Amino acid sequence: MQFSNYTQAVVGLALLTIGIVGFAAIGGAATTEMANESVSFSNDSNVTVDVAWNDSISDPANASASVTFYNATEYDDDPSTATVVLSDSIAADEGNTTSTEYTEADGLEDGTDYRLIVEADDTEADDVTVTDGSIGGIFTFSDGSPGFGAGVAIAAIGAAAMLARRGS
């Protein structure tokens, strides 16, 4: 039995999609980098990190997000040797958003650029928003759940199917 190029492409991409979604689900409960942004600190606006927590955290008392500010220049050169300027932990508040403001009192210097990394378990935190007061200074990051990847994979299957149909 001979299958058309169209059928072969659709079946192949469907299997690939199932594999990608499966691997994403397996790794779904791991700590995820939910924000990785350059921020400019200003005493006038400070830096605010908001973490939206979902309402089904299995152990809220032990759930948290880690926040790390690095020297931006050093981080851009080599993240593994960059100086940690500030490290903090934001406790979970099940079903709510926690907002933490970082100021000069935390050791940040006016007019300095930092690399801000926020990590959390993506089964506990839904998203992270970072505001640094700069123009367009709001960055929002989704939880890295497999839903987005599955949508992209499905769109890729549709595009491949259209290309295969044109080629046959």
Side-chain angles (χ1 to χ4, degrees):
M1 177 185 246
Q2 185 74 8
F3 292 104
S4 71
N5 288 342
Y6 173 77
T7 302
Q8 290 174 359
V10 170
V11 170
L13 285 171
L15 292 173
L16 179 64
T17 301
I18 290 168
I20 290 170
V21 171
F23 282 121
I26 289 170
T31 298
T32 302
E33 184 177 278
M34 299 186 76
N36 180 340
E37 285 298 321
S38 292
V39 294
S40 296
F41 179 74
S42 167
N43 288 337
D44 297 329
S45 61
N46 300 317
V47 173
T48 304
V49 176
D50 297 321
V51 181
W53 301 97
N54 69 46
D55 56 2
S56 60
I57 299 173
S58 61
D59 187 8
N62 292 312
S64 64
S66 67
V67 177
T68 308
F69 287 82
Y70 293 92
N71 175 295
T73 303
E74 292 175 3
Y75 191 91
D76 291 342
D77 289 340
D78 184 1
S80 65
T81 62
T83 301
V84 174
V85 177
L86 171 63
S87 184
D88 191 25
S89 180
I90 300 174
D93 187 4
E94 189 174 15
N96 296 300
T97 298
T98 53
S99 182
T100 305
E101 185 175 76
Y102 297 96
T103 67
E104 190 174 34
D106 296 308
L108 301 178
E109 295 181 19
D110 189 35
T112 303
D113 293 332
Y114 297 98
R115 174 64 66 160
L116 174 60
I117 308 293
V118 181
E119 294 179 327
D121 185 325
D122 63 3
T123 63
E124 299 168 344
D126 287 332
D127 61 63
V128 172
T129 302
V130 176
T131 308
D132 73 350
S134 65
I135 297 173
I138 298 179
F139 308 100
T140 303
F141 305 91
S142 67
D143 63 0
S145 63
F148 178 74
V152 170
I154 290 168
I157 289 173
M162 287 175 37
L163 289 173
R165 177 169 275 175
R166 287 184 185 170
S168 61

